[in-house]
């Protein structure tokens, strides 16, 4: 179909880089391939000549290989002139040589890589180290080996080599990773512990952090002073430090009989009207600014700088809010003293009053010019009016006649934070010991004792049905795995000593 006269192969010709105008002219003129003075090769013919794929030829076109459009058998086609091919080969000899030496993996080579990876993982090697070793042994890139193992695990989930390394994470695993990272664990340590890449761990941490930011309470009282296009000078005026009081306030002596931690509240000076107005304006503007930035946050691809800025603004707003509350806590104590009765506990009143104070700080509209103490007093009194009658009815209904016995009973409740920390340590120890087992033994132990929170403990018969073996075989594997676990635990205890 095309001229095979190689005498024209090296003839110098004026080369014109293809453009839209050139293509339109070629299509209009319908230039046949036979009229060209040079040998024209199609994409398929050039790929066969250079021993590369057609995708490689398409990629080379974007990297400088000039193509021409001509007509053959009445339809437009893409071809390459001999002079253009020679110039590209001369300028990119190394690239052409590497592409021609590349060969696709055969099915037997893929199976061999999968089997070698399975043996290495069951022997206790980390997946990343397995990929590096196989890449050096086979002469392939690490990305090629990783893609082969990842594709195999997706196509064969029942016999996956490293199922925890591929596929989506459960929400519980993501929360656990984020919780450990907040407690100080590095990305490298979490990558080794959960057998995931550093990029995936970092992505989980960022997404969980963005999710937590989306749940932050950023409700604010709007004001005409707040605007997105606020100038830097105007913003600095809103965020200046709290002004000093004109005259030092007189120190108030705390009432008699208060415990030390309540008496210390009277050491915090009261706020002046200007200080109170300034702090409320500052707190609401910080929340407003954080809410505006949160609207620009993409939860799937969060930006670290944006999240840092939002968290900084929220932290400053909480600090300002606590400053307002510390200056008004004595108000709660003074109101609670007026409602003390024979069946009403003073400290419960203070606790309820503090909750009312928190809600009052969040809902107070400073722009109306009212004093906060007036609004807070109304909110606390209204809450006491609802809670005290309900508490009296509750006490009358569940009166036992042994109030002294219950009030003298020691509180033996445990700390939830301490329990959570101990549980995390136990899970880490169990995961560390399980690494000495093979993949199948780990799976049997997890299913047998219910170490996976998503499943209940299973019987030997149920595990055998899931794995396709007999109940007796499961019992033998369990016995061997428990023996190895005891030995590993003894070695770890000796090492700690």
């Amino acid at each position: 179909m095309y001229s095979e006269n190689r005498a024209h192969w090296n003839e110098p010709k004026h080369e014109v880089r293809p453009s839209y105008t050139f293509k339109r002219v070629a299509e209009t003129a319908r230039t046949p391939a036979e009229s060209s003075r040079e040998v024209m090769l199609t994409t398929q013919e050039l790929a066969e000549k250079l021993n590369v794929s057609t995708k490689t030829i398409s990629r080379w076109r974007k990297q400088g290989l000039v193509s021409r459009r001509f007509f053959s058998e009445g339809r437009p086609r893409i071809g390459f002139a001999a002079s253009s091919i020679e110039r590209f080969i001369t300028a990119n000899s190394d690239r052409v040589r590497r592409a021609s030496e590349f060969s696709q993996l055969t099915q037997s080579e893929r199976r061999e890589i999968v089997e070698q990876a399975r043996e290495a993982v069951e022997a206790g090697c980390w997946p990343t180290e397995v990929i590096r070793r196989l890449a050096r042994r086979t002469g392939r890139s690490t990305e090629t080996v990783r893609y082969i193992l990842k594709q195999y695990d997706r196509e064969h989930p029942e016999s996956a080599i490293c199922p925890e390394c591929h596929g989506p994470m459960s929400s519980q695993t993501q929360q656990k990773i984020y919780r450990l990272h907040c407690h100080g664990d590095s990305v490298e340590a979490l990558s080794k512990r959960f057998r995931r890449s550093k990029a995936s761990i970092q992505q989980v941490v960022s997404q969980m952090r963005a999710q937590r930011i989306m749940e932050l309470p950023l409700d604010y009282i709007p004001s005409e002073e707040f605007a997105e296009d606020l100038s830097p000078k105007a913003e600095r005026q809103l965020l200046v430090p709290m002004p000093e009081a004109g005259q030092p306030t007189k120190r108030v002596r705390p009432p008699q009989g208060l415990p030390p931690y309540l008496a210390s509240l009277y050491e915090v000076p009261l706020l002046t009207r200007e200080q109170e107005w300034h702090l409320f304006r500052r707190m609401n503007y910080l929340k407003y600014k954080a809410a505006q930035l949160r609207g620009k946050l993409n939860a799937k691809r969060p930006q670290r700088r944006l999240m840092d800025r939002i968290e900084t603004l929220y932290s400053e707003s909480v600090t300002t809010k606590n400053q307002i509350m510390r200056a008004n806590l004595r108000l709660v104590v003074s109101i609670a003293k007026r409602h003390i009765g024979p069946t009403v506990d003073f400290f419960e009143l203070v606790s309820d009053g503090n909750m009312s104070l928190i809600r009052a700080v969040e809902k107070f509209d400073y722009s109306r010019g009212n004093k906060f103490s007036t609004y807070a007093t109304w909110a606390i009194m209204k809450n006491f009016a609802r809670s005290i009658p309900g508490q009296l009815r509750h006490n009358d209904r569940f009166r036992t006649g042994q109030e002294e016995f219950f009030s003298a009973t020691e509180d033996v409740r445990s700390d939830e934070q301490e329990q959570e920390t101990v549980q995390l340590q136990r899970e880490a120890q169990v995961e560390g010991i399980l690494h000495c087992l093979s993949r199948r033994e780990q799976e049997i132990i997890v299913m047998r004792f219910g170490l996976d929170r998503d499943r209940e403990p299973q019987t030997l018969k149920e595990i055998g049905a899931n794995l396709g073996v007999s109940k007796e075989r499961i019992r033998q594997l369990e016995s061997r795995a428990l023996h190895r676990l005891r030995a590993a635990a003894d070695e770890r205890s000796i090492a700690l000593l």
Side-chain angles (χ1 to χ4, degrees):
M1 178 172 55
Y2 303 110
S3 175
E4 297 294 337
N5 186 4
R6 301 301 181 183
H8 299 288
W9 179 272
N10 296 320
E11 287 186 6
K13 293 293 178 183
H14 178 67
E15 192 73 14
V16 179
R17 188 171 295 275
S19 62
Y20 178 78
T21 305
F22 180 83
K23 294 177 182 178
R24 295 297 300 170
V25 171
E27 291 178 0
T28 304
R30 295 184 175 270
T31 305
E34 292 78 4
S35 63
S36 177
R37 297 182 180 181
E38 294 189 85
V39 175
M40 300 293 292
L41 299 180
T42 62
T43 302
Q44 183 64 34
E45 290 175 341
L46 182 58
E48 294 176 357
K49 176 180 177 61
L50 299 179
N51 194 24
V52 296
S53 64
T54 55
K55 291 184 179 181
T56 302
I57 300 298
S58 300
R59 187 170 62 252
W60 285 352
R61 290 181 61 193
K62 300 178 182 180
Q63 297 171 354
L65 178 59
V66 180
S67 61
R68 296 182 180 180
R69 184 177 295 242
F70 60 91
F71 275 83
S72 177
E73 298 181 354
R75 58 175 182 156
R77 307 193 68 172
I78 297 296
F80 303 89
S83 58
S84 301
I85 297 172
E86 288 295 337
R87 279 197 297 271
F88 182 80
I89 293 175
T90 303
N92 305 273
S93 57
D94 292 339
R95 180 184 300 172
V96 175
R97 178 181 54 80
R98 289 195 304 268
S100 62
E101 293 176 354
F102 177 79
S103 60
Q104 297 287 343
L105 284 169
T106 62
Q107 291 297 329
S108 60
E109 291 175 337
R110 288 173 178 268
R111 286 194 297 268
E112 184 178 358
I113 290 176
V114 169
E115 294 302 325
Q116 292 179 1
R118 185 187 303 279
E119 294 176 1
V121 170
E122 290 182 354
C125 295
W126 292 104
T128 54
E129 182 62 25
V130 171
I131 292 173
R132 292 196 197 98
R133 292 181 183 179
L134 290 176
R136 290 195 300 267
R137 188 179 304 172
T138 58
R140 301 287 178 172
S141 65
T142 55
E143 291 299 327
T144 300
V145 177
R146 182 181 292 107
Y147 175 77
I148 292 174
L149 299 181
K150 185 176 181 179
Q151 185 180 21
Y152 178 84
D153 287 352
R154 288 180 176 177
E155 295 177 353
H156 307 83
E158 69 284 351
S159 60
I161 299 172
C162 191
E164 65 272 15
C165 299
H166 305 128
M169 295 184 189
S170 63
S171 58
Q172 293 180 349
T173 303
Q174 293 179 358
Q175 294 175 1
K176 185 176 181 181
I177 290 174
Y178 181 71
R179 186 167 61 250
L180 292 174
H181 185 267
C182 292
H183 289 170
D185 289 9
S186 63
V187 176
E188 291 78 6
L190 294 174
S191 175
K192 293 181 179 179
R193 178 172 179 178
F194 291 92
R195 296 189 176 185
R196 293 277 181 166
S197 63
K198 296 179 183 179
S200 61
I201 295 296
Q202 188 63 50
Q203 182 180 7
V204 169
V205 172
S206 298
Q207 291 179 352
M208 294 300 296
R209 183 184 176 190
Q211 181 179 349
R212 188 182 68 86
I213 289 176
M214 298 301 293
E215 297 173 356
L216 290 177
L218 296 180
D219 298 334
Y220 60 90
I221 303 299
S223 174
E224 296 179 355
E225 299 179 275
F226 306 159
E228 292 188 18
D229 55 349
L230 199 64
S231 64
K233 183 178 179 180
E235 184 174 359
R236 284 194 299 269
Q237 291 178 355
L238 292 174
L239 300 179
V240 293
M242 182 181 68
E244 297 292 338
Q247 296 180 355
T249 57
K250 184 179 179 180
R251 185 173 180 180
V252 180
R253 182 175 298 179
Q256 297 292 333
L258 285 182
Y261 69 92
L262 289 180
S264 63
L265 300 178
Y266 288 81
E267 298 178 0
V268 180
L270 296 176
L271 298 174
T272 63
R273 196 179 190 90
E274 292 76 14
Q275 290 176 335
E276 185 177 278
W277 179 81
H278 171 81
L279 291 178
F280 273 103
R281 184 183 67 168
R282 176 186 174 91
M283 180 190 68
N284 285 281
Y285 178 73
L286 289 171
K287 287 186 177 182
Y288 163 79
K289 191 69 175 179
Q292 296 299 319
L293 294 178
R294 186 171 65 177
K296 303 176 183 179
L297 182 64
N298 186 355
K300 295 183 178 180
R301 293 184 179 179
Q303 299 178 4
R304 182 179 300 179
R305 291 184 179 180
L306 184 58
M307 291 191 294
D308 292 342
R309 180 59 177 163
I310 295 173
E311 289 179 341
T312 301
L313 292 172
Y314 177 72
S315 178
E316 292 178 358
S317 69
V318 171
T319 302
T320 307
K321 175 182 175 181
N322 293 336
Q323 191 174 359
I324 298 173
M325 290 187 57
R326 282 195 300 269
N328 290 274
L329 284 175
R330 68 171 75 175
L331 178 64
V332 178
V333 177
S334 62
I335 298 176
K337 288 191 304 179
R338 300 182 231 162
H339 294 79
I340 298 177
T343 59
V344 179
D345 185 70
F346 171 70
F347 297 102
E348 290 185 3
L349 288 178
V350 172
S351 178
D352 291 343
N354 289 338
M355 298 302 298
S356 300
L357 180 64
I358 293 175
R359 290 191 292 269
V361 171
E362 295 174 348
K363 301 297 183 182
F364 178 66
D365 189 355
Y366 69 96
S367 62
R368 296 184 178 182
N370 300 323
K371 290 189 64 177
F372 173 69
S373 58
T374 305
Y375 179 78
T377 301
W378 172 81
I380 296 171
M381 295 284 289
K382 185 178 180 180
N383 180 51
F384 284 168
R386 290 194 305 264
S387 62
I388 292 178
Q391 185 177 0
L392 293 176
R393 288 194 300 270
H394 178 81
N395 293 339
D396 291 338
R397 182 179 180 185
F398 296 97
R399 189 178 299 276
T400 62
Q402 298 182 359
E403 288 81 5
E404 296 81 2
F405 172 79
F406 286 106
S407 61
T409 303
E410 182 181 0
D411 187 3
V412 295
R413 293 176 295 178
S414 58
D415 188 4
E416 295 182 359
Q417 182 68 25
E418 181 181 357
Q419 289 181 348
E420 183 178 359
T421 304
V422 173
Q423 181 63 22
L424 290 176
Q425 293 176 353
R426 290 174 180 170
E427 293 179 2
Q429 293 174 356
V430 171
E431 291 182 3
I433 295 177
L434 286 177
H435 288 163
C436 67
L437 303 178
S438 65
R439 182 186 59 81
R440 173 173 289 189
E441 291 173 344
Q442 290 183 15
E443 191 174 359
I444 291 174
I445 293 298
V446 169
M447 289 191 295
R448 183 75 172 112
F449 296 96
L451 299 181
D452 188 359
R453 295 183 180 180
D454 298 335
R455 300 179 181 178
E456 295 292 334
Q458 301 181 16
T459 62
L460 298 176
K461 185 176 181 180
E462 292 174 344
I463 299 174
N466 292 333
L467 300 181
V469 295
S470 63
K471 171 183 175 182
E472 179 62 23
R473 179 55 179 166
I474 296 297
R475 188 192 64 77
Q476 295 174 359
L477 293 174
E478 178 192 6
S479 177
R480 185 177 67 182
L482 291 176
H483 178 73
R484 295 177 63 179
L485 287 176
R486 293 190 188 97
D490 293 341
E491 292 178 359
R492 176 167 294 189
S493 60
I494 293 174
L496 293 175
L497 294 176

